[in-house]
Amino acid sequence: MIEYVPGLENVPAAESAVSYIDGEKGVLEYRGIRIEDLAEHSTFEEVTFLLMNGKLPTESELAEITQRIARARTLPKELRAIIKSLPKTAHPMDALQTCVAAVGAVTPHKNIYDESTREEMAIDFIGKFPSLVAAFHRSRTGQEIVDADPTLSVSADFLHMLTGEKHEPLKARAMDICLILHADHTMNASTFATRVTASTECQPSAAIAAAVGSLSGPLHGGANEAVLHQLEEIGAKEKVAPWFEQKLAKKGKIMGMGHRVYKTKDPRANILQDLARQLFVKFGSSPLYDIAVELERIAIDRLGPRGIYPNVDFYAGIVYSRLGIPIDLGTPIFAVSRIAGWTSHWMEQMRHNRLFRPTQVYQGEHNVPYLSMSERKAPVRTA
Ligand code: COA
């Protein structure tokens, strides 16, 4: 008998050295380095190097990867034309998934069996992601696409390409911290999607497009958007308790709470909560934050004993809204960051690839006779 494990919970799907989680203790490490240390001292470019290469860069290695990512931010005219042709009403995650497949369509197929070609393709995606997200946002809002500025960091240039303005350092640093926090997270659904698709030895655009689609769902990356809608729906701090009781009575889920691996508060949620407070000092508080804190208090009291605590998405949306970013760009920002993890996993998968081909537990019938059309019963219609 083969045991079926729904959601492959606790089933190892790869051997990986990219990141590590201790869900009981609330620990997250990239290549062995604690996320708290990276959020305090590092940059997204440095974290990208770390994830891809397994060690922190030297000064010259950091300068080199920063330049290569910056150069890759420029969008070719074919991609700009595709972005402009997309419906303005498209969800930015659908637009991003289309654009990632389009990167594959406008790039000649390359030799993915060569390590340095893979690295070059990975850096190209890491550079392109902020530009694709920003360009679609400009296009859907009827504004000119803003060219990348290679003198800026990924986070500062992303804000620049979104708004057309150069931002103050605190906003760029806040965005940088968000990008650091979301860059990798072990064998989550989108990383698994990357590795499963990549195991067919397809071009990386196919694997990354699968990952973007997987990230868009509300049980994964889409939760940060759902959290903001949830806080808006609650509307006021004093309405949290009755809203919560009603939600639980209907067996509804509190968005931004719970995690398959963490059974305590996600360490990234703590860092984002601190970041939100720092932004409030400079840019004013948000009524949604007070609602969120009250919701966290009640939820921990009621759901904490079952291991359900705030996850990364709980405070991410509030931070983005303080940075003036529209709600539906929360998940694309997650992707702008996670592309560093996806490509690191792609490269790791390719080094020791074996085609994913799991099995199933068949529940259907056998030897069913083929009925001619006249022998088939018409469905019973109920009034
Ligand atoms: N609110 C209320 N109850 C929750 C919950 C939440 N956010 N998350 C889990 N639960 C409850 C479920 O209702 C279920 O209860 P039951 O046993 O009485 O049926 C139990 O906990 C197990 O839930 P399940 O969804 O099977 O757990 P999981 O390990 O698959 O949970 C998530 C992981 C992320 C899918 C889940 O916590 C969730 O849907 N959270 C909300 C979405 C979210 O924030 N996603 C972002 C993840 S980073």
Side-chain angles (χ1 to χ4, degrees):
M1 274 297 284
I2 305 162
E3 194 197 345
Y4 164 54
V5 181
L8 298 182
E9 188 162 354
N10 292 325
V11 176
E15 287 184 328
S16 179
V18 181
S19 60
Y20 168 81
I21 301 173
D22 181 331
E24 298 296 329
K25 296 194 183 125
V27 171
L28 168 61
E29 294 171 344
Y30 295 166
R31 300 283 188 182
I33 303 179
R34 287 279 187 122
I35 194 66
E36 290 84 354
D37 291 334
L38 293 167
E40 190 176 345
H41 304 294
S42 192
T43 61
F44 179 64
E45 283 86 342
E46 187 175 69
V47 160
T48 297
F49 186 98
L50 173 69
L51 291 173
M52 286 173 71
N53 298 283
K55 67 169 191 85
L56 288 170
T58 61
E59 207 172 339
S60 62
E61 285 169 333
L62 180 59
E64 193 203 334
I65 197 169
T66 302
Q67 264 184 18
R68 290 173 72 193
I69 294 174
R71 276 201 301 272
R73 282 203 292 277
T74 299
L75 295 178
K77 62 178 186 327
E78 295 91 341
L79 281 178
R80 286 172 174 251
I82 289 167
I83 291 167
K84 285 183 183 165
S85 73
L86 292 171
K88 295 192 179 350
T89 50
H91 190 283
M93 283 302 280
D94 294 324
L96 181 61
Q97 195 178 15
T98 308
C99 290
V100 173
V103 170
V106 304
T107 313
H109 280 203
K110 291 194 177 154
N111 177 14
I112 56 162
Y113 303 103
D114 174 59
E115 181 87 34
S116 65
T117 307
R118 287 200 292 267
E119 199 214 18
E120 184 194 306
M121 295 177 95
I123 288 183
D124 191 55
F125 271 111
I126 293 162
K128 292 275 175 304
F129 261 52
S131 312
L132 294 171
V133 171
F136 175 67
H137 179 65
R138 299 286 296 181
S139 166
R140 72 170 173 166
T141 48
Q143 302 176 84
E144 281 302 313
I145 293 175
V146 176
D147 288 336
D149 178 346
T151 65
L152 297 175
S153 65
V154 171
S155 49
D157 204 16
F158 178 49
L159 291 172
H160 160 242
M161 290 187 286
L162 268 181
T163 60
E165 289 160 26
K166 300 268 164 79
H167 284 268
E168 52 189 291
L170 177 62
K171 283 195 174 177
R173 180 62 192 149
M175 177 53 70
D176 209 34
I177 293 171
C178 293
L179 296 185
I180 291 169
L181 295 182
H182 288 85
D184 199 52
H185 211 230
T186 75
M187 200 51 57
N188 52 84
S190 58
T191 300
F192 184 47
T194 305
R195 292 188 80 128
V196 169
T197 314
S199 80
T200 67
E201 303 190 354
C202 57
Q203 292 287 302
S205 53
I208 302 301
V212 173
S214 156
L215 186 71
S216 67
L219 295 189
H220 191 6
N224 67 61
E225 198 177 322
V227 170
L228 280 185
H229 291 305
Q230 171 180 272
L231 296 175
E232 280 170 356
E233 181 193 316
I234 297 171
K237 192 178 159 188
E238 50 288 358
K239 293 186 184 162
V240 173
W243 179 91
F244 184 87
E245 293 309 329
Q246 230 180 16
K247 191 84 179 171
L248 249 52
K250 288 187 190 154
K251 294 225 164 281
K253 278 188 172 171
I254 315 300
M255 300 316 282
M257 295 272 167
H259 199 273
R260 181 66 62 78
V261 184
Y262 290 118
K263 297 304 161 207
T264 184
K265 189 167 172 179
D266 183 331
R268 300 166 302 170
N270 283 322
I271 299 169
L272 284 168
Q273 189 171 7
D274 279 352
L275 187 59
R277 289 202 207 98
Q278 286 172 37
L279 290 170
F280 296 160
V281 173
K282 182 107 187 195
F283 304 111
S285 188
S286 158
L288 295 184
Y289 180 73
D290 298 333
I291 300 172
V293 171
E294 178 67 356
L295 181 57
E296 175 178 351
R297 190 187 65 76
I298 294 176
I300 288 182
D301 190 40
R302 294 287 305 281
L303 301 174
R306 294 169 61 195
I308 299 167
Y309 287 89
N311 59 47
V312 68
D313 291 306
F314 196 68
Y315 288 106
I318 292 177
V319 169
Y320 299 146
S321 66
R322 270 303 92 171
L323 295 175
I325 290 170
I327 290 186
D328 62 1
L329 290 187
T331 315
I333 291 172
F334 194 148
V336 165
S337 163
R338 186 56 59 86
I339 183 62
W342 291 331
T343 48
S344 299
H345 280 270
W346 168 58
M347 293 192 289
E348 194 180 58
Q349 179 69 32
M350 288 299 293
R351 269 177 227 128
H352 313 279
N353 187 41
R354 181 151 172 84
L355 176 69
F356 273 92
R357 196 355 179 147
T359 187
Q360 60 170 14
V361 179
Y362 181 63
Q363 300 276 317
E365 296 172 72
H366 293 285
N367 295 320
V368 178
Y370 180 82
L371 300 180
S372 68
M373 194 59 80
S374 61
E375 290 171 306
R376 297 174 207 174
K377 286 197 187 119
V380 182
R381 290 192 190 281
T382 47

